[in-house]
Amino acid sequence: MTETKRRQRGNARADRRAKRERSTRASVPFITRRVPTFELASEEVLALIENNADTVLETIGIDFRDDPLALDLLKQAGASVDGERVRFPKGMCREIISSSAPAEFTQHARNPDRSVRIGGNHTVLVPAYGSPFVHDLDKGRRYATLGDFENFTRLAYMSPSLHHSGGTLCEPVDLPVNKRHLDMIYSHLRWSDKPFMGSVTHPDRAQDTVDMAKIAFGDDFLDTHCAITSLINANSPMTFDATMLGAARVYAENNQATVISPFILSGAMSPVTIVGTCTQILAEALAGICFTQLTRKGAPVIFGTFSSAVSMQSGAPTFGTPEPSMVIFICAALARRLGVPFRSGGGLCGSKLPDAQAAYEAANTLQSAMLAGVNFMLHTAGWLEGGLAMGYEKFILDADQAGMIEVFLSGVDASENGQAMDALATVGPGNHFLGCEHTQANFETAFYRSTTADNNSFEQWQSEGALDAAQRANSTWKKMLAEYEAPPIDEGMDEALREFVMTKKNAVPDSNI
């Protein structure tokens, strides 16, 4: 084969890949759901769980550790405080929440066109969160750096089916623990213009997040608008620690959103049964959400849960199995009955590689969350190894599934074009629809076009390198980073953010706590 022919064939392959990767869908800032939710539990089961959760709150109680301010606040509201154990009269939490917590709210982005609506019939897809390691096919598993964090910020910004920049996309362990949050928040504000999540590892770091958001949005804006969402995990079972309470207080006082999220591994941190786990989740969520509303009435809040299970043989976390999906369905219904947005789901898996196990476990959780009516789907893209690693290729593969979720939730087109009566009449019996006018007018947007799947003939797939899905995703993320262009930012704002970061870093010595 001549060099010219090889070059032509290579160019043709590149053109075909580009067409597969090119999205034909208009990017939307969030999904508005047009299909019904799947209701797993009966009214009787949901009422039973609510009653049992009230019993837990009233008779067992929730520990609020090392936070006298929280204990005083809850006591003044009518709770019984015994040391750090707080017991709530039956119905107290639900009454406080129902009277003030918003059913849905807008989280504003630096680019107003990318602001998201959280709650109601809306769904926001958010990248994975919190991994100390990253993984790709070239370098394998390694500790994450700030460079990796910035890469994932850029990838999330460029992914049309991810509506949010996320939070701790990966832990930049090359930076001191007490200062890395400054670089992470700056990354979200500078290299993306989508909404973002704030730091929760110390109340002072939550306040730094608020102060940086004030630089970007304005002091007065934050007092009446939500620009930050933050993840507040209960220290399950039935405990909130001072770090989470302090961060939640900072955000609620500043009218910023918190995701009150029990972190459950059933069998270790909750009972082994579905109803028992849901009872504990609801009790913990009610107590935490109540705390935010007592801190500031009307502060935006999300009922969250992360629920998986542990192997009864090894004790290791498992993902993508039926029981956690049932928990998602039930807790989503409980959140709707409570009248607040719900967070759960994501592309969860225990696999160490972007392989078949990663794909089916992630798909099981993503689709359960989609059908359950999750409003804020954290960990949508990138999750590997039970959350210990953020995968570059996994991120791309999951983002493709996010696009499919968007199409499914958009519902059925029953318009005149969707009915296609003219196509049926024109083609008639015994013919095909490939060349008809209706097909020609709709072919570019008729079906979801995967950015990672290969549906070509064996011969064409082989001629293009015989790549598997992970290898194709490897090429995609590299191409995306090579083509990345930063969103515009006001120079004065950027300078003020960089000055804030530098001043804060210089004020204290490095620390790993």
Side-chain angles (χ1 to χ4, degrees):
M1 182 185 296
T2 66
E3 181 63 31
T4 299
K5 287 185 177 180
R6 276 195 293 267
R7 189 180 302 114
Q8 289 173 342
R9 179 169 291 186
N11 290 339
R13 287 198 297 266
D15 288 342
R16 287 193 293 269
R17 282 196 300 270
K19 287 179 181 178
R20 286 200 301 269
E21 294 167 1
R22 189 180 302 124
S23 173
T24 58
R25 297 174 297 106
S27 178
V28 297
F30 55 90
I31 299 170
T32 298
R33 182 186 193 93
R34 294 184 174 87
V35 301
T37 58
F38 178 75
E39 301 293 345
L40 177 71
S42 66
E43 164 68 26
E44 291 75 17
V45 170
L46 295 174
L48 173 68
I49 293 170
E50 289 171 339
N51 183 70
N52 288 351
D54 275 345
T55 301
V56 169
L57 289 169
E58 186 176 31
T59 63
I60 300 173
I62 307 291
D63 281 357
F64 285 72
R65 292 184 177 169
D66 301 319
D67 193 329
L69 292 176
L71 296 172
D72 287 345
L73 183 68
L74 294 165
K75 185 175 183 179
Q76 291 172 16
S80 171
V81 177
D82 181 11
E84 294 182 328
R85 180 71 52 85
V86 179
R87 294 178 175 86
F88 299 83
K90 189 168 186 175
M92 171 186 164
C93 291
R94 186 173 295 273
E95 181 179 346
I96 290 170
I97 294 165
S98 298
S99 67
S100 65
E104 58 182 273
F105 62 93
T106 296
Q107 185 187 353
H108 294 267
R110 186 166 66 80
N111 177 353
D113 292 338
R114 297 187 184 275
S115 296
V116 296
R117 192 73 179 162
I118 300 174
N121 63 339
H122 309 298
T123 297
V124 177
L125 304 180
V126 190
Y129 182 111
S131 302
F133 298 98
V134 295
H135 179 277
D136 65 63
L137 295 186
D138 303 298
K139 300 178 182 177
R141 182 184 190 262
R142 62 193 186 280
Y143 279 110
T145 66
L146 179 61
D148 292 306
F149 187 96
E150 292 174 341
N151 281 345
F152 282 112
T153 305
R154 294 180 174 102
L155 291 172
Y157 166 70
M158 296 180 74
S159 299
S161 297
L162 296 176
H163 312 115
H164 207 277
S165 192
T168 306
L169 298 168
C170 57
E171 281 281 355
V173 298
D174 55 333
L175 300 177
V177 171
N178 65 328
K179 298 179 180 180
R180 64 180 61 157
H181 67 287
L182 297 164
D183 293 282
M184 289 191 282
I185 300 304
Y186 176 77
S187 179
H188 283 305
L189 287 168
R190 178 63 191 95
W191 309 125
S192 176
D193 60 5
K194 293 182 178 181
F196 69 99
M197 300 178 72
S199 176
V200 296
T201 54
H202 192 281
D204 291 345
R205 296 164 200 167
Q207 187 61 54
D208 286 342
T209 304
V210 170
D211 293 341
M212 292 178 73
K214 287 181 177 180
I215 294 172
F217 292 90
D219 288 5
D220 295 338
F221 186 89
L222 256 66
D223 191 56
T224 54
H225 300 79
C226 174
I228 307 165
T229 300
S230 59
L231 179 62
I232 305 298
N233 282 127
N235 190 3
S236 303
M238 295 170 283
T239 302
F240 285 92
D241 62 37
T243 298
M244 292 289 103
L245 291 170
R249 180 183 296 107
V250 168
Y251 287 118
E253 286 176 343
N254 286 276
N255 195 43
Q256 301 307 296
T258 51
V259 185
I260 306 299
S261 199
F263 186 92
I264 299 292
L265 294 175
S266 298
M269 301 158 71
S270 76
V272 296
T273 61
I274 293 165
V275 170
T277 292
C278 290
T279 297
Q280 181 183 316
I281 288 171
L282 180 58
E284 292 176 3
L286 285 168
I289 296 171
C290 177
F291 170 72
T292 68
Q293 297 309 295
L294 292 173
T295 300
R296 177 164 175 165
K297 187 175 182 179
V301 65
I302 302 169
F303 176 161
T305 181
F306 176 92
S307 178
S308 191
V310 297
S311 167
M312 291 291 95
Q313 288 69 46
S314 68
T318 61
F319 300 91
T321 52
E323 295 83 4
S325 290
M326 294 182 189
V327 171
I328 290 175
F329 283 116
I330 292 172
C331 287
L334 293 169
R336 285 190 288 274
R337 289 160 67 93
L338 185 59
V340 294
F342 181 61
R343 167 259 158 159
S344 193
L348 310 182
C349 71
S351 181
K352 319 307 179 280
L353 300 169
D355 58 7
Q357 179 186 342
Y360 75 72
E361 289 181 349
N364 283 348
T365 311
L366 286 167
Q367 291 177 26
S368 294
M370 173 186 75
L371 295 171
V374 168
N375 303 115
F376 191 82
M377 197 184 299
L378 192 59
H379 307 312
T380 297
W383 175 288
L384 276 176
E385 199 185 334
L388 288 175
M390 183 73 153
Y392 279 84
E393 291 80 20
K394 179 68 160 40
F395 187 95
I396 299 301
L397 295 167
D398 288 338
D400 189 25
Q401 292 201 59
M404 299 181 201
I405 288 172
E406 183 179 307
V407 172
F408 186 92
L409 292 181
S410 296
V412 177
D413 176 13
S415 67
E416 183 177 349
N417 181 68
Q419 295 174 55
M421 291 299 292
D422 56 339
L424 291 165
T426 300
V427 174
N431 297 305
H432 66 75
F433 290 82
L434 291 174
C436 80
E437 183 178 344
H438 183 270
T439 301
Q440 294 300 308
N442 288 277
F443 82 94
E444 287 192 339
T445 58
F447 305 116
Y448 180 81
R449 188 178 300 174
S450 172
T451 58
T452 59
D454 187 298
N455 300 301
N456 297 308
S457 68
F458 178 86
E459 290 76 17
Q460 184 171 332
W461 167 77
Q462 191 173 50
S463 72
E464 293 181 357
L467 304 178
D468 64 21
Q471 290 170 321
R472 293 191 293 273
N474 179 270
S475 298
T476 299
W477 70 258
K478 291 175 180 176
K479 183 173 182 288
M480 289 174 67
L481 291 179
E483 296 176 350
Y484 167 82
E485 294 182 7
I489 191 171
D490 178 81
E491 290 184 6
M493 179 194 301
D494 188 35
E495 182 179 352
L497 287 168
R498 287 187 281 109
E499 182 178 347
F500 180 91
V501 170
M502 188 59 65
T503 300
K504 281 287 182 176
K505 285 185 175 182
N506 290 337
V508 293
D510 293 352
S511 171
N512 284 321
I513 57 173

